[in-house]
Amino acid sequence: MTLAYETVSENRSFGGVQGVYRHQSQATGTPMTFAIYMPPAAEHGRVPVLWYLSGLTCTHENAMTKAGAQEWASEYGMAVIFPDTSPRGEGVADDEAYDLGQGAGFYVDATQAPWAPHFRMWHYITHELPELVFGNFALDRDAQGITGHSMGGHGALTIALTMPHVYRSVSAFAPIANPTESDWGRKQLSAYLGEDRAAWAGHDATLLMRERGYPREILIDQGSADQFLHLLKPEALAHAMTERRQPGTFRMQQGYDHSYFFVQTFMGDHMRWHAEQLA
């Protein structure tokens, strides 16, 4: 696996550096762009890292510019990684709908045509990109947390619930919580993984919560005025957490919608929480 990458841009931010980088991915067979904020503390040694997975239609840039993570990351001495949401480019399968194809990788490894050759986002996020960043940046591999918004919240929860030995903290903003029972899930999982619903179960946070839970606390924020509540199905995950007696906090935030105004409002809470969990 190559660890080579090129620098697209680097900007000073809150005493640290917000960088954007590009590399050739073996997992997706395409060039992939990602962003990392490195706090001032990284000048003196390895720092904890928070993975931020973005939602439908997003690239690495949305959360990097809209979530307001850099100020908090600087304060808590924590790096933040913003990967892309899917492979992109000529020859990569796509769909006319915004919720399938490029920009909508759903953090799975596709097994079905025409998606299988490039849509291997689970492997990319959990194996290939970590090898690159831990080999090239001052990051503490033993202090990793993961969070995300919407489709990215789905990815963060399913990855952490599957790999709790790697991700020592997990949170989510308005996650797609029960995709096997939602139109934001059944469509994509059947396209990427086929019609065997048993193959979907490992990519549904509600089912994973019922089956195995998470060995530490989790934090989830959901807006009560979210226009996609019927697709996100937060009540299914909340019920599964209660059934399992999962330690953690599930907050329904009065009047907030699905936008990045919601995310940036509570980003500080999540950054502080991850810093405490990873300390």
Side-chain angles (χ1 to χ4, degrees):
M1 178 182 297
T2 179
L3 297 179
Y5 68 94
E6 63 177 293
T7 300
V8 177
S9 64
E10 290 183 332
N11 298 95
R12 201 72 174 164
S13 175
F14 294 100
V17 176
Q18 177 60 68
V20 177
Y21 309 97
R22 184 182 298 114
H23 73 113
Q24 182 64 36
S25 167
Q26 294 185 12
T28 68
T30 66
M32 295 291 288
T33 302
F34 65 96
I36 304 183
Y37 177 75
M38 295 297 291
E43 297 176 6
H44 309 290
R46 296 189 179 274
V47 296
V49 57
L50 178 64
W51 295 83
Y52 184 103
L53 306 186
S54 293
L56 290 167
T57 75
C58 291
T59 69
H60 69 280
E61 189 173 18
N62 296 73
M64 181 185 78
T65 59
K66 296 179 180 180
Q70 290 84 353
E71 181 175 8
W72 302 106
S74 176
E75 178 176 345
Y76 298 126
M78 184 163 51
V80 185
I81 302 177
F82 307 96
D84 203 347
T85 55
S86 78
R88 300 175 190 273
E90 187 177 351
V92 177
D94 201 7
D95 191 90
E96 292 182 356
Y98 73 93
D99 58 357
L100 185 67
Q102 296 186 36
F106 258 74
Y107 304 101
V108 303
D109 286 347
T111 60
Q112 305 299 302
W115 314 104
H118 301 293
F119 281 74
R120 300 186 65 234
M121 290 302 295
W122 180 280
H123 186 84
Y124 177 72
I125 294 295
T126 62
H127 291 87
E128 184 178 33
L129 188 55
E131 288 304 310
L132 189 156
V133 297
F134 287 112
N136 289 284
F137 295 86
L139 305 173
D140 185 352
R141 188 186 286 268
D142 295 324
Q144 296 184 65
I146 191 166
T147 189
H149 174 229
S150 193
M151 179 184 73
H154 141 80
L157 290 170
T158 56
I159 287 171
L161 290 169
T162 303
M163 305 173 67
H165 58 291
V166 175
Y167 302 94
R168 286 176 42 196
S169 61
V170 60
S171 72
F173 300 87
I176 301 174
N178 192 194
T180 61
E181 300 298 332
S182 169
D183 288 340
W184 270 0
R186 286 178 298 216
K187 170 183 176 180
Q188 295 83 0
L189 295 174
S190 62
Y192 295 142
L193 302 178
E195 296 299 335
D196 181 4
R197 291 177 66 94
W200 304 0
H203 299 285
D204 186 310
T206 295
L207 300 183
L208 290 170
M209 178 59 65
R210 290 174 184 161
E211 176 188 346
R212 62 184 69 183
Y214 185 70
R216 293 169 290 280
E217 293 187 30
I218 65 176
L219 172 63
I220 298 174
D221 274 312
Q222 172 64 63
S224 68
D226 193 315
Q227 59 272 43
F228 301 114
L229 277 174
H230 62 295
L231 295 167
L232 302 172
K233 298 192 176 297
E235 66 281 357
L237 180 57
H239 187 62
M241 289 174 63
T242 302
E243 284 183 329
R244 190 166 185 91
R245 296 180 173 85
Q246 169 67 45
T249 303
F250 196 120
R251 306 189 299 192
M252 186 64 73
Q253 301 290 2
Q254 181 64 35
Y256 284 90
D257 60 17
H258 199 69
S259 71
Y260 264 97
F261 294 108
F262 158 66
V263 172
Q264 64 187 222
T265 299
F266 300 103
M267 193 68 196
D269 285 358
H270 284 243
M271 295 292 292
R272 183 182 310 109
W273 187 84
H274 282 280
E276 291 172 353
Q277 298 290 315
L278 296 174

